[in-house]
Amino acid sequence: MNKSNFEIFRVCSRGGHEYYHIIPKKELNDFPENVQKLSIAEKKDKYLVLKMPDCKVTLFKGGRMLIEDLPEGSDTRAQAIVEEIMG
Amino acid sequence: MDIEKIREDFPQLRHNFIYFDSGATALKPIPVLQAVRDYYDKYSTNIGRGIYKTSHKATVAYEKSHHKVLEFFQGDGEVIFTKNCTEAINIVAHGIDWKPQDKIIATYLEHNSNLLPWFRLKKFGVVVELLKCDPEGNIDLNELKQRIDNHTRLVAITHASNVIGTILPVAEITEISHKKGAMVLIDGAQGAPHLEIKLNEIDCDFYAVSGHKMMGPTGTGILFFKKKYFDELNPLNLGGGTVSDVYTDSYKLVKNWERFEGGTPNIAGGIGLGAAVDYLNAIGMSEIRKHEIELTAYFMDQLRKIDGVRIHGKMEPEKRTGVVSFRIKDIPSHRIAIIADEVGNVAIRSGLHCAFLMTRDILKEEQGTARASFYIYNTKDEIDHFVEIIKKIAKDE
């Protein structure tokens, strides 16, 4: 599953902070296996918080995500992050 | 008051949905939906133009809504319909003949809608000064007195903060401003839906309202102004409906609200707004206020018991509307909001709330706050459900 399986929305671009809301076109059954290779900052029943070099990502089991606090104009970076998480 | 019965009037609540974002827009009850539907189904024609029966019916219904709104706000003045509160404020900003060195005083509490229209006037030489507030939303009335000078034409202030819910002493502010010769505009977006408004007592010159936040359809707003401004205020849009006569190089404006609502207005919305006023009247604004104070007190009590949660604003629920901004440790507000939605189907708002100065500079919340805002259709059970989610978010692994 790659970035084309997701819809990426810029939800907030205020005061230089950019947030992206990622919605899978088809809901996943569980976290992607690839997350094991990533740094997990927080693990809860229904979601994980992943620590990326430049931001954090909240990832839900169904594939919904929130990419937190990138600099303004980070659309390409947001797409790359989705790819990286999905593997 | 039977809240369960009231909840039946809101179809969206039948789908396991907890809505704590009424500060952004309110849910719409069936009578409002029905009024809009009836217009489109049975008499969807233009107003003020046709001599036929359905046009007459639409005209009467739309006009009647104006009267209902004026009565609801207990004001001796004029009411015009706008597309939202923002437009209502912009009508005043564009409608007054400002002169260089005129001064406008606003506050750090304001929503962008009650700041940016004034900032734009700077290019005409208008001076805009901002009064600071403390983190509870208190402003210093003595400072206000001192700041109002001979150049001050307008004090523009919110009735209640959309970030922390603090209710401002608007009658007192109006009195102070009038004594020193300044007009007063109140941004009532967060006040009108939740408080009993007696404009005759507040005595402000302009009161701007968001119709959709008081259960009216989206695309509705209200501007109230005193009669003396009827000729002083230039309409934003001129065109169909605004004139009684047109000559080769001039025109004569009509003498009623149509002057300010150029072109075909949002007829369905206006009629729906009238139905919303009927709905609020039937419940009673004092009952709504009582319920919201109870919910706010309950929510804040629950939040105070959770380690790592910090509530912003006044701790006395009767001094605020049902808007509660909070943070959980250092967790970004958007993360709190998305978890609430995904895990618990709870809709809250997050971020800077279009009040950058208040949220970022006064509350020091660079990345915003999580904000729950209540209305008559919310319950303590819903709050309990949300509080459980907050506890889980706050709990360390």
Side-chain angles (χ1 to χ4, degrees):
Chain A
M1 194 177 257
N2 60 30
K3 70 171 193 279
S4 63
N5 300 104
F6 291 82
E7 290 179 302
I8 303 179
F9 300 96
R10 198 169 48 231
V11 284
C12 186
S13 177
R14 301 285 187 270
H17 304 280
E18 204 101 275
Y19 284 73
Y20 291 87
H21 185 188
I22 319 296
I23 300 176
K25 288 181 182 164
K26 191 178 170 211
E27 213 167 283
L28 311 180
N29 295 322
D30 207 345
F31 296 117
E33 281 179 21
N34 211 44
V35 295
Q36 302 306 326
K37 298 178 197 161
L38 302 169
S39 166
I40 298 173
E42 203 179 325
K43 193 175 179 183
K44 303 262 180 168
D45 267 1
K46 293 178 179 169
Y47 64 91
L48 302 171
V49 179
L50 303 171
K51 195 168 183 294
M52 311 301 277
D54 49 354
C55 66
K56 284 187 177 172
V57 179
T58 306
L59 170 68
F60 295 94
K61 270 186 179 168
R64 189 177 175 189
M65 296 177 218
L66 176 75
I67 301 177
E68 297 172 355
D69 199 14
L70 287 171
E72 263 182 285
S74 296
D75 294 12
T76 311
R77 173 65 187 137
Q79 288 178 9
I81 288 171
V82 174
E83 297 271 14
E84 198 178 340
I85 290 171
M86 297 316 298
Chain B
M1 189 175 53
D2 185 347
I3 296 295
E4 284 311 314
K5 197 164 182 331
I6 287 172
R7 285 171 61 83
E8 286 172 15
D9 289 334
F10 295 86
Q12 267 180 276
L13 296 176
R14 294 173 199 156
H15 306 288
N16 183 33
F17 174 59
I18 296 179
Y19 188 66
F20 288 161
D21 197 18
S22 296
T25 195
L27 299 181
K28 322 302 176 202
I30 288 170
V32 171
L33 306 178
Q34 196 57 52
V36 172
R37 182 71 199 255
D38 276 355
Y39 165 73
Y40 282 122
D41 273 351
K42 297 170 186 165
Y43 58 109
S44 173
T45 47
N46 214 332
I47 57 164
R49 314 278 199 273
I51 197 77
Y52 47 91
K53 289 189 282 295
T54 49
S55 175
H56 175 72
K57 188 175 176 182
T59 304
V60 169
Y62 189 69
E63 274 186 353
K64 202 173 170 188
S65 281
H66 284 67
H67 296 305
K68 282 180 188 175
V69 166
L70 190 57
E71 217 168 278
F72 182 73
F73 289 121
Q74 305 179 46
D76 181 21
E78 299 285 341
V79 150
I80 59 170
F81 285 177
T82 62
K83 73 175 180 188
N84 47 39
C85 188
T86 303
E87 189 179 65
I89 295 170
N90 273 278
I91 285 173
V92 179
H94 287 277
I96 290 174
D97 287 324
W98 302 99
K99 293 174 189 67
Q101 294 189 321
D102 278 349
K103 189 160 106 179
I104 296 167
I105 298 177
T107 76
Y108 271 63
L109 281 158
E110 307 310 316
H111 186 283
N112 289 341
S113 296
N114 199 25
L115 277 185
L116 310 191
W118 315 122
F119 286 168
R120 186 155 63 176
L121 296 174
K122 286 182 175 184
K123 68 179 174 189
F124 303 115
V126 171
V127 176
V128 181
E129 284 187 8
L130 296 183
L131 207 58
K132 271 209 167 183
C133 64
D134 67 17
E136 289 194 350
N138 299 305
I139 58 165
D140 183 342
L141 296 184
N142 283 323
E143 193 191 342
L144 174 67
K145 270 181 212 167
Q146 284 162 11
R147 291 267 202 114
I148 302 176
D149 58 22
N150 292 337
H151 292 290
T152 309
R153 283 188 73 190
L154 181 76
V155 172
I157 195 154
T158 189
H159 197 159
S161 163
N162 73 312
V163 182
I164 55 173
T166 302
I167 299 167
L168 278 288
V170 285
E172 205 176 338
I173 289 166
T174 302
E175 196 184 348
I176 290 168
S177 307
H178 282 174
K179 271 186 185 160
K180 301 196 90 176
M183 301 180 284
V184 175
L185 176 140
I186 297 170
D187 171 357
Q190 298 295 330
H194 307 284
L195 308 168
E196 189 180 5
I197 308 293
K198 296 179 179 176
L199 289 178
N200 283 336
E201 288 181 12
I202 296 172
D203 198 33
C204 59
D205 301 272
F206 305 96
Y207 194 88
V209 176
S210 173
H212 64 93
K213 286 186 172 74
M214 49 186 280
M215 299 187 191
T218 50
T220 62
I222 298 157
L223 175 65
F224 164 90
F225 54 86
K226 284 185 173 172
K227 283 184 193 296
K228 64 180 176 182
Y229 298 107
F230 192 82
D231 285 318
E232 200 176 314
L233 198 62
N234 297 305
L236 191 62
N237 302 310
L238 289 180
T242 58
V243 288
S244 61
D245 212 342
V246 177
Y247 315 105
T248 53
D249 61 353
S250 63
Y251 54 85
K252 193 176 164 190
L253 292 168
V254 291
K255 294 276 184 197
N256 65 10
W257 54 266
E258 287 178 279
R259 173 186 289 209
F260 298 96
E261 297 186 32
T264 300
N266 178 3
I267 303 167
I271 292 169
L273 182 55
V277 164
D278 289 340
Y279 189 83
L280 293 171
N281 272 331
I283 297 171
M285 291 309 291
S286 57
E287 289 298 307
I288 291 172
R289 177 77 183 127
K290 205 170 112 190
H291 181 66
E292 287 178 15
I293 288 175
E294 212 176 300
L295 290 182
T296 307
Y298 184 71
F299 183 52
M300 291 201 301
D301 279 349
Q302 302 300 311
L303 286 188
R304 273 193 286 259
K305 293 176 196 161
I306 306 171
D307 279 347
V309 173
R310 181 179 165 204
I311 304 167
H312 287 294
K314 291 180 186 288
M315 288 303 129
E316 305 95 323
E318 65 280 2
K319 291 183 179 172
R320 56 195 296 165
T321 58
V323 166
V324 182
S325 264
F326 61 97
R327 65 146 53 226
I328 306 175
K329 297 175 178 169
D330 287 326
I331 299 172
S333 62
H334 290 312
R335 192 193 301 170
I336 298 168
I338 199 171
I339 293 169
D341 179 47
E342 179 70 18
V343 172
N345 231 7
V346 180
I348 63 160
R349 188 131 296 235
S350 49
L352 299 171
H353 314 295
C354 291
F356 292 36
L357 303 186
M358 182 62 198
T359 313
R360 187 190 56 206
D361 299 347
I362 302 293
L363 300 181
K364 309 292 180 199
E365 293 282 14
E366 178 112 355
Q367 295 203 45
T369 65
R371 184 191 78 177
S373 51
F374 308 120
Y375 215 168
I376 189 66
Y377 37 70
N378 293 125
T379 66
K380 285 183 182 173
D381 285 347
E382 290 180 322
I383 289 175
D384 287 341
H385 176 78
F386 183 38
V387 166
E388 285 309 309
I389 295 167
I390 294 171
K391 281 181 188 166
K392 283 180 189 160
I393 295 172
K395 195 176 163 196
D396 290 319
E397 286 303 307

